[in-house]
Amino acid sequence: MPSLRTALLQSSGRPGAVDENLKVLDEAAGRAAAAGAQLLVCPEMFLTGYAIGDAVPRLAEASDGPGAQAVADIAVRHGLAVLYGYPERSGERIFNAAQLIGPDGATLANYRKTHLFGCFEQEWFTPGEQPVVQAELGGVRIGLLICYDVEFPENVRAHALAGTGLLLVPTAQMHPFQFVAESVVPVRAFESQMYVAYVNRTGQEGEFEFVGLSCLAGPDGVVRVRAGRGEELVIGEVDPEVLTASRAANPYLKDRRPGLYGSLA
């Protein structure tokens, strides 16, 4: 089975400026497609910006809103799938969400962040309740989490048990927690035997300093590609054959003893 070439867009765009962020996305999608990528992954809240404060209610939109339609147009024009973060409005509630749009413009999956980080997120967002959201792309089972979610090993293990081969994690990882990008993410990929694409914002945004360091980690715990601290587009390969071989060689999932873990819940 051929590999799934995956592009990671490390950028904060322009917070509060949806049209400008769509331009950044369109340009990145063109570069990614030209490099043969089949999937482009953007950071958390990329559509609107993360540190947008009380603009959250104004900029939030439905999962099929104008932002989604614009991203779908970009995906179709460049012939690749796009995962982007955005504030999702559903009735009176707002979720920190991520949506995967296929190369044909169809929605493949929409995920709502289940573990909200800090006062800002807890003030404006409702936590999601569906821990495992998946889609199929290029013969790979894709799973979605957002930022803080990946720091809970239970979340990633749930995806492993559901067959996720590539976990997409748009993030807004800030100083001084860069060790998550450097150390935690590769360990998550190894202990749950999957690829993890961790895609961050960068630079100063309001009170937050985003650290970049986006990466694609493999099931062997080895980082295939890593960005630096600035705006960057990096591309790596998700190889199903490597995944199959690694799962056969590593006994973590096979050697689990679920009967012993009741106290964890």
Side-chain angles (χ1 to χ4, degrees), residues 99-114:
Q99 186 153 228
L100 179 62
I101 304 291
D104 61 354
T107 296
L108 300 180
N110 188 71
Y111 171 76
R112 296 166 172 175
K113 189 174 186 178
T114 55

Side-chain angles (χ1 to χ4, degrees), residues 242-258:
V242 169
L243 183 61
T244 298
S246 183
R247 286 174 170 174
N250 187 301
Y252 278 150
L253 300 180
K254 177 175 66 68
D255 289 350
R256 292 172 65 253
R257 297 182 62 193

Side-chain angles (χ1 to χ4, degrees), residues 109-201:
N110 188 71
Y111 171 76
R112 296 166 172 175
K113 189 174 186 178
T114 55
H115 295 74
L116 300 179
F117 178 80
C119 297
F120 166 69
E121 291 190 13
Q122 292 169 11
E123 176 181 1
W124 292 109
F125 299 111
T126 298
E129 296 295 335
Q130 189 172 354
V132 177
V133 172
Q134 297 173 308
E136 297 288 332
L137 181 68
V140 176
R141 184 168 297 180
I142 307 287
L144 308 181
L145 291 178
I146 299 175
C147 196
Y148 194 39
D149 290 329
V150 80
E151 297 176 40
F152 294 81
E154 299 90 342
N155 278 348
V156 184
R157 182 52 56 83
H159 270 277
L161 296 175
T164 293
L166 169 60
L167 186 63
L168 307 182
V169 188
T171 189
Q173 182 64 63
M174 57 199 69
H175 178 81
F177 306 112
Q178 51 265 31
F179 65 89
V180 174
E182 294 169 336
S183 301
V184 173
V185 168
V187 169
R188 289 286 177 271
F190 178 69
E191 68 189 7
S192 281
Q193 288 296 291
M194 63 178 64
Y195 285 89
V196 179
Y198 187 78
V199 187
N200 200 10
R201 307 180 69 82

